[in-house]
Structures are given as structure tokens and as C-alpha cells.
Amino acid sequence: MGCSNSKQAKPETMAGRKFLVGGNWKMNGSKAMYKELLAGWNAAEITKAVEVVIGVPAPYLDFVRTEMKPEFAVAAQNCHNAEKGAFTGEISPGMAKDCGASWAIIGHSERREFFGETNEIVAKKTAFVVEQGLQVIACVGEKLADREADKTMDVINAQMKAIADEVKGDAWSKVVIAYEPVWAIGTGKTASPEQAQEVHAKIRAWLKEKVSEDIANATRILYGGSVKPANCNDLGKCADIDGFLVGGASLKPDFTTVINADQS
Ligand code: PGA
């Protein structure tokens, strides 16, 4: 099923939002594996106007920046919100940048769930990382219990409010929001295009009401949660879906099919 609310029906609100396809390799892979994967991607034909951003485990940022074609950007999967200091095990945005990253994924649900990142921490990191010169994919999304209790938008609005309390004015041009329902991550259960579109439209409406109409129209909102070649075309056509953040399927050669997804 496609989205009844398609982009063609709403061209006036697009405000130059370039489609963005993010990969998130999480804690997977090795130099040998990346080398093989990237050789295929580097040779593949990219037929769409699309920005590609790959979330790479920190030790491999430099390696992937060297191996991957320059048109595709490298993202850190997390950064600490300090320039330097006694934070054993953390990396700063400056370090990620020094190793070739131009983006960071912040507030992924796995960071929130397993590493105790609260809405406030995620928001502070988002603002700090932008200040340090990287672009940010900031993640929001509800758990299954939230959805079942009809609390999806309460949870997401609180996550968005925390971000909007820290990110001001021009900094929004460096922030992309990824809506990732936690129940759809790594489970094979994708939100239907209608379910995703509904939440994306509500996030954009929230931005319009609480931040500004211009920022609401210009901010890209990605969908994440079991996106793969088989479902990317239907999702990509929805009016308020401006791209994807992809986990499992971004570790495969045919991720280029998702990069070339229908975005009309
Ligand atoms: P998935 O992960 O595509 O494997 O569901 C998405 C994500 O966690 O960003």
C-alpha cells in the first residue's frame, strides 16, 4: 500500500528538503567486510538526487572515510557533549570530525535504552554537536507500550520539546529528525506508510506550532525501523517522509536499492 498523502499532492510545503538516506551499521562489521561492501556501493549507479550518510562505529570512521566514495558522508553513531577531558571511552565531535565524519547520529533508541540517555542529554548533545560543526540526525520514537497506551505523540512531543529547548535558530538547518518507532527497529515489523506518515505530519505540525513554520517546512524527517528494498518505495513517496535511517539493511550490498528509492 502506498501513501495517499503523497509528495506530489503537497509540493508547496517541500521547501527544498533533499531526500536523505542514512545507514546505521551499529556495532557490526570489520575492515574486510566494509571494504567488500563499499567496493560494491562505490561502483553502483545512484539514479536519484539523494544525500547518503553512513553511521560507522568510531574506530572505523577514518577507514570508511578513505574507502567510501566522497559523495557519501560518514557519521559517528554517538558523541559526548564536551570538547575534551576525562571521559573514558567517549569521543568528542571534534575527534569524529578529525576522522572524517561530517555527521553524528544522536539519541538513537539503543543509546536511550542501554546507555541511559535521557531526553535532556540527547538534546544537549544535539545542540553541542551542531555547535562543533557536525550535522546531526536526532532520533525520536515511541515504544510498543506507548503506542498501545495511545501515548505515541506524548512521548515524541516530549523528546522534540527537549531538543527545541536546546537547538535555536540557524542550528535547525543542521538537524535532521529521525522518527524510529522502537517496536519497528530490528524486528522486521515496519510501520505502514500510513502509520509513518501520520506521525511525520504530527512532528512537522509540532515544529510549526512550537518552533516556526519555515523550520517546520525545511526540516527533514526520516523514517527508521526495518526499512529495506521491499518497502522503501512505498514509504519514500509519503509527503512528510524525507528519507530513511536504516539499520540491518544498510549492511547489505542491495542497500543501494534503498538509496535509489522512489521519492516522488
Ligand atoms: P533497522 O534499524 O533498520 O535494523 O530496524 C533501524 C535503526 O535502528 O536505525
Side-chain angles (χ1 to χ4, degrees):
M1 256 297 283
C3 233
S4 55
N5 198 354
S6 75
K7 293 195 172 76
Q8 275 151 354
K10 283 180 110 187
E12 71 288 357
T13 58
M14 294 293 298
R17 299 197 302 264
K18 188 171 188 184
F19 209 75
L20 190 158
V21 176
N24 177 10
W25 288 346
K26 309 191 180 183
M27 200 174 73
N28 295 294
S30 62
K31 285 187 185 175
M33 186 266 196
Y34 300 150
K35 213 174 163 69
E36 195 182 327
L37 185 67
L38 293 172
W41 292 5
N42 289 344
E45 199 194 345
I46 305 306
T47 57
K48 297 286 187 337
V50 58
E51 200 169 349
V52 178
V53 179
I54 305 299
V56 174
Y60 297 113
L61 288 168
D62 236 337
F63 176 78
V64 171
R65 181 59 292 161
T66 308
E67 292 291 321
M68 188 164 70
K69 64 172 162 183
E71 292 84 357
F72 292 0
V74 168
Q77 296 176 7
N78 174 41
C79 284
H80 191 55
N81 54 327
E83 260 176 72
K84 63 186 170 83
F87 302 104
T88 303
E90 291 294 300
I91 66 165
S92 71
M95 289 172 177
K97 214 167 138 184
D98 202 25
C99 292
S102 44
W103 288 78
I105 298 169
I106 297 293
H108 188 277
S109 66
E110 287 146 19
R111 299 293 319 168
R112 294 173 184 265
E113 177 79 10
F114 305 131
F115 302 97
E117 295 195 10
T118 61
N119 289 352
E120 289 65 35
I121 292 172
V122 170
K124 284 202 159 62
K125 285 186 172 189
T126 300
F128 184 73
V129 171
V130 169
E131 210 182 286
Q132 295 289 302
L134 295 175
Q135 299 190 74
V136 170
I137 297 176
C139 305
V140 299
E142 83 286 6
K143 295 181 184 172
L144 184 59
D146 304 323
R147 181 162 278 263
E148 287 176 347
D150 216 9
K151 294 218 160 76
T152 297
M153 289 321 296
D154 294 346
V155 169
I156 293 170
N157 290 347
Q159 293 167 335
M160 290 298 299
K161 181 180 182 308
I163 294 170
D165 284 346
E166 297 290 338
V167 173
K168 301 289 176 198
D170 279 355
W172 275 103
S173 68
K174 308 285 184 209
V175 176
V176 169
I177 300 293
Y179 166 55
E180 301 205 295
V182 180
W183 49 271
I185 296 178
T187 58
K189 277 190 220 159
T190 321
S192 68
E194 292 76 11
Q195 278 175 321
Q197 166 59 28
E198 186 188 353
V199 175
H200 282 231
K202 286 180 178 165
I203 294 173
R204 202 175 304 287
W206 188 94
L207 280 170
K208 185 175 170 185
E209 191 192 325
K210 307 287 185 190
V211 183
S212 81
E213 181 162 8
D214 286 351
I215 287 170
N217 283 340
T219 300
R220 290 174 288 182
I221 307 175
L222 315 180
Y223 169 76
S226 299
V227 176
K228 49 184 181 273
N231 58 24
C232 62
N233 290 326
D234 285 341
L235 288 159
K237 281 186 257 188
C238 298
D240 290 289
I241 297 185
D242 306 309
F244 310 117
L245 184 56
V246 185
S250 74
L251 288 156
K252 302 200 173 135
D254 67 358
F255 180 57
T256 49
T257 307
V258 179
I259 294 174
N260 284 324
D262 194 339
Q263 34 171 287
S264 61

